[in-house]
Amino acid sequence: MPRSIWRGAISFGLVNVPVKLYSAVSKKTVRFNQLHATDHARINMKRVCSVEGEEVPFDQIVKGYEISPDRYVVIEPAELEALDPKKTRTIDIEEFVDIEQIDPLYYEHPYYLMPDTGAAKAYRLLLQALRESGKVAIARVVIRQKEYLTAIRPAGDNRDVLTMETMLFSDELIDPEQIDEYPDSDVEATEREVKMAQQLVESLSTDFDPSKYHDTYREQVLDLIERKAQGEEIAVQAAPEEPQEVPDLMAALEASLAAAKTEKKKEPSKPASKPAAKSRNGAAPKKRASASAPKKRTKTKA
Amino acid sequence: MSKAVEVEVGRRQLRLSNLDKVFYPATGFTKGQVIDYYTRIAPMVLPHLRDRPLTLKRYPDGVEGPHFYEKQCPSHAPDWVKTVAVPAGGKVIDFCLANDLPTLVWLANLADLELHTSLSKARNLERPTMMVFDLDPGPPAGLLECARVALWLRETLGELGLESFPKTSGSKGIQLYVPLNRAVTYDQTKPFSHALARLAERLHPDLVVSKQKKELRKGKVLVDWSQNDDFKTTACVYSLRARERPTVSTPVTWDELEEAHESERPERLVFEAEDVLARAEEHGDLFKPVLELKQSLPELAAA
């Protein structure tokens, strides 16, 4: 079950709705561990003091802000919390707007807001008011030392739950005109071309069904991992001491063949299994496959 | 152009067209004869096609016209044609499965002269049911050189406890199949076949190459191990080939291969549609063990 990442209250006017915040996203990205290529041991990250070269324990690490090269102001966590204690516990609704007025570019990350103990009724009230008015609440909230602009609205599909989307501040969004390739406005398409393009759009128009789409790249990566895991090439944690050489399959094949040959000469009944000495004699027919004609295994009716 | 005819094949209605069109001008072999061949060889070939993702190689104007590969089962396929969805390079391809006679006839009518199958079955695409060595001669080397390499491979595989079965490619070379039919992945068959190809190359440097490079292959036989891959397909046994004459990828016995090799008569390893039907009557399916024999790759000795 997902765990809530924050507890507080939505506040607007005189109403206070205690809520818990849950991320609405479970990222499915495949995560890899870093391994040492030669022995497949895990790579450890160490926090090392750049002056002493020694590892530094967590309790000796503080936050610093670089005000000019190599000059830092050190900030304690308590100092940050003291800045605005109220804001760190509430989601302050500032206004209500029509959803169409929000450019989706602003949306950053979706969350669910769930009613906390005793908040069922107030939560329901807010949900219903938003749904019936068709409006979205614009609110501010501070989570983990960062203030967010958020949009609160009922979930789609008529689910009785409030969602909160964190949004970018307008100065965080890059103005596209700052990009060199910003499209020229004096290029024009003819009416006929536009009409044709529209027809194409029309012919491909359908209802959006997100379940139709899968992360096929991820599926392939997982598939690759599964296949490798089933085969022999799993990166096994090497025992720290003994470094192993990658076996040369061709040499192994040769050794097995040599073993099979010598065993056959001595005792034809025993199956080849033991490692061979070395010997790369034989098996080099000049013209024909081999003089030691292989047993006739195939049955021929004719 | 001749008219289309409606036929009923195994309770399915099919519309066959252009039956008189000559597909192999060198012999006058028509599209109707292609469909007839596939209909009559069906009892032999269907078990080998069954449940394997199929790549079509279509020649709408016969072997001298343009051709195209088709992995995605055509959208106009009748709804009774079975398909399997295979993820490939970010998208999903629905491959045809030629599981029954109506599908086979329908494919022949699409001018799908060559049937190229996966080494895996649809329900377990990671697991090849066999390992294949495709022996491809670089002129002036030909079938005899392929036969020599095949015999060496057979003996070597035999020493490792593996039985193998040869077929002509129906084109220039010979293909060697090692039935597995056990839990094994391409991650095992690929390095194994590669190692064996390299060993063949080292022991017979004047006869064998293991790399695709064209300039290396002159007068030698490429032991192509790289088809042991889930994205590759190989011409199925009993498939017609789009050569000058309607030659077929034909299973042969080791005796036949040895005889052709010793008497230096490569033409004994060339079979056309009619020959193959006669052989099927006489021998039954020489490739049946490829579907049935269970073998495991040997554990190799420490080198």
Side-chain angles (χ1 to χ4, degrees), chain B residues 201-219:
Chain B
E201 180 180 46
R202 212 185 58 201
L203 297 177
H204 309 282
D206 50 340
L207 181 63
V208 174
V209 289
S210 67
K211 292 189 192 73
Q212 298 273 359
K213 267 201 182 154
K214 272 259 154 55
E215 56 267 35
L216 297 174
R217 287 160 65 175
K218 196 167 174 291

Side-chain angles (χ1 to χ4, degrees), chain A residues 109-124:
Chain A
H109 188 102
Y111 294 88
Y112 293 122
L113 291 169
M114 295 297 175
D116 208 343
T117 347
K121 192 159 176 209
Y123 183 92
R124 180 56 130 194

Side-chain angles (χ1 to χ4, degrees), chain A residues 44-63:
Chain A
N44 286 340
M45 302 288 179
K46 285 185 178 173
R47 289 170 178 76
V48 176
C49 172
S50 60
V51 173
E52 295 169 335
E54 296 290 317
E55 195 177 350
V56 182
F58 257 116
D59 58 6
Q60 286 182 30
I61 297 178
V62 293
K63 280 185 159 69

Side-chain angles (χ1 to χ4, degrees), chain A residues 162-224:
Chain A
L162 286 171
T163 66
M164 183 177 93
E165 192 92 35
T166 55
M167 293 196 289
L168 301 168
F169 287 103
S170 61
D171 60 354
E172 288 179 306
L173 198 62
I174 293 170
D175 182 347
E177 289 191 45
Q178 289 176 6
I179 301 171
D180 282 346
E181 290 84 0
Y182 189 79
D184 242 335
S185 58
D186 41 272
V187 182
E188 268 186 38
T190 67
E191 214 172 294
R192 206 173 62 86
E193 288 170 324
V194 174
K195 195 151 249 165
M196 272 174 61
Q198 276 173 346
Q199 276 172 5
L200 181 65
V201 170
E202 209 116 292
S203 70
L204 293 173
S205 288
T206 172
D207 290 325
F208 180 56
D209 173 11
S211 67
K212 268 202 322 213
Y213 300 91
H214 296 269
D215 182 347
T216 49
Y217 177 73
R218 177 180 145 256
E219 284 167 2
Q220 282 180 301
V221 172
L222 288 176
D223 183 59
L224 171 75

